[in-house]
Amino acid sequence: MRIHHALALALLISAPARADNPALRELKIESVDYLETRFAVKPHPPTLAEGEGLTLRVKVSGMVERNGNLHCTLGLELKGEDGKSKAKSDSMSGGDFKNSLGQTTGTFFIEINNIHDEPAKYTMILTAKDHFGDRSAQWEGPLTLEKAKLGIYTTRFLLRTEKEKEKDEEEHRREIASLLFVGGQVDIAFRVLGLTAEGGRVHLAMQVEVYDARTDEKLYTTEGKELAGLELKGRSPNGEVSASHTLSLTRPGRFYVRLVVTDKLAEKTVKREVRFRVVTPDEMTKEY
């Protein structure tokens, strides 16, 4: 299993007023939200398909502030039903919060990727360590791993900077929200799981379509176009493939992407729709 960590994006509101004695505050993991991706709106159930990604949004309160900074790290351990540790990673996420503005609450993100094991029930144990306060707090929650069914999982919008446009690796792109700016480009990335793998080989075809969300008018399709990656023959012993497609954001509006994948060996097709909005800088100024 690979457990990837990510720095928290920002401190959130709702921190308690500073106590005269910081040691009297209780360090606490206030909440843990299961999400498909960092910017997902709907919660993800505590069930994970083998190979699917999961993001944990963790809110920690009661940290000790020192010279306007906070310093907290998270650890994650997975235990099986027999109580034995299956995976463990320490000092994940968090780090320094600069200019905390008197806040003692922070939000962290942990990304869990590519768990491959026998379907089973696990217990997740999160440990928050406040380095300035020399204290720790724990949280436990369930996670069930299931065999993946044919489907499209972990859809995300990824953006490359000018320096990174020549690189195709996913780690060189950053995840962004589904509220996008007109005039640029964005990659929609996803995973196809549950493919039939005969002798470790898979054969699939992919199609990407973009629709106007208000009229359902089809604005763009890859059907019939000779684009690299739309039909793939290759090896994938786990029956999974990661893919992405670049979208050009030519005008503002509300849209949705329809992803269509056909497993040619199993002769089955699955679809998924992902909504997004494109705005001008003026629209952002007016609304926010």
Side-chain angles (χ1 to χ4, degrees):
M1 179 202 316
R2 294 185 297 159
I3 303 176
H4 293 215
H5 64 276
L7 291 181
L9 292 183
L11 287 173
L12 297 187
I13 59 173
S14 76
R18 282 194 252 179
D20 292 334
N21 183 357
L24 297 178
R25 286 195 299 263
E26 178 188 5
L27 183 70
K28 186 178 180 181
I29 299 178
E30 293 278 357
S31 62
V32 178
D33 298 318
Y34 295 59
L35 302 172
E36 181 182 28
T37 64
R38 179 176 297 215
F39 293 100
V41 176
K42 297 180 180 180
H44 191 290
T47 301
L48 199 62
E50 188 179 4
E52 184 182 7
L54 178 71
T55 296
L56 303 177
R57 181 172 60 199
V58 185
K59 183 178 179 180
V60 182
S61 66
M63 291 178 283
V64 173
E65 179 188 17
R66 180 180 295 173
N67 299 323
N69 300 326
L70 303 172
H71 185 49
C72 179
T73 55
L74 296 180
L76 173 62
E77 182 178 12
L78 288 182
K79 286 188 176 181
E81 293 181 279
D82 58 3
K84 294 182 179 180
S85 180
K86 299 293 184 179
K88 188 175 182 179
S89 184
D90 296 319
S91 300
M92 300 171 57
S93 191
D96 287 313
F97 278 124
K98 303 296 184 182
N99 302 320
S100 59
L101 303 178
Q103 301 287 322
T104 61
T105 299
T107 297
F108 308 88
F109 293 89
I110 295 176
E111 296 177 1
I112 300 175
N113 290 313
N114 297 335
I115 300 180
H116 290 100
D117 208 331
E118 290 296 322
K121 295 182 181 295
Y122 295 90
T123 297
M124 287 194 302
I125 302 173
L126 287 175
T127 302
K129 180 175 177 59
D130 178 13
H131 293 269
F132 290 157
D134 194 24
R135 295 173 300 172
S136 62
Q138 280 195 340
W139 173 94
E140 292 189 8
L143 182 66
T144 300
L145 182 65
E146 296 182 340
K147 186 173 178 61
K149 298 178 181 178
L150 179 63
I152 300 168
Y153 299 79
T154 320
T155 57
R156 297 181 294 165
F157 290 103
L158 301 177
L159 186 67
R160 304 179 195 184
T161 66
E162 288 295 325
K163 293 182 179 179
E164 295 168 341
K165 284 186 177 178
E166 299 301 320
K167 302 175 182 178
D168 292 327
E169 295 87 352
E170 188 172 301
E171 56 265 29
H172 295 299
R173 295 174 287 176
R174 60 184 177 88
E175 184 182 347
I176 59 174
S178 57
L179 183 64
L180 310 169
F181 283 105
V182 70
Q185 291 184 323
V186 68
D187 293 347
I188 181 166
F190 54 97
R191 296 179 189 175
V192 183
L193 304 179
L195 290 164
T196 300
E198 293 183 353
R201 300 188 67 83
V202 295
H203 185 188
L204 67 151
M206 293 180 284
Q207 186 173 317
V208 182
E209 301 171 341
V210 178
Y211 292 80
D212 187 307
R214 291 173 296 183
T215 65
D216 288 327
E217 176 189 1
K218 185 187 293 186
L219 305 175
Y220 168 82
T221 181
T222 59
E223 185 178 11
K225 297 184 179 180
E226 299 271 335
L227 297 177
L230 288 184
E231 185 161 333
L232 174 66
K233 295 180 181 180
R235 298 191 64 82
S236 177
N238 294 316
E240 64 181 63
V241 170
S242 295
S244 67
H245 185 69
T246 301
L247 303 175
S248 296
L249 310 175
T250 58
R251 65 177 175 89
R254 297 179 185 271
F255 310 93
Y256 61 90
V257 182
R258 178 176 292 162
L259 304 169
V260 184
V261 174
T262 299
D263 182 344
K264 293 202 165 185
L265 295 180
E267 297 183 342
K268 293 181 180 179
T269 297
V270 290
K271 300 178 181 180
R272 182 167 181 185
E273 293 180 357
V274 183
R275 293 185 175 268
F276 66 99
R277 185 180 175 191
V278 181
V279 298
T280 65
D282 288 342
E283 285 179 296
M284 283 293 289
T285 302
K286 289 178 183 177
E287 294 190 11
Y288 296 94

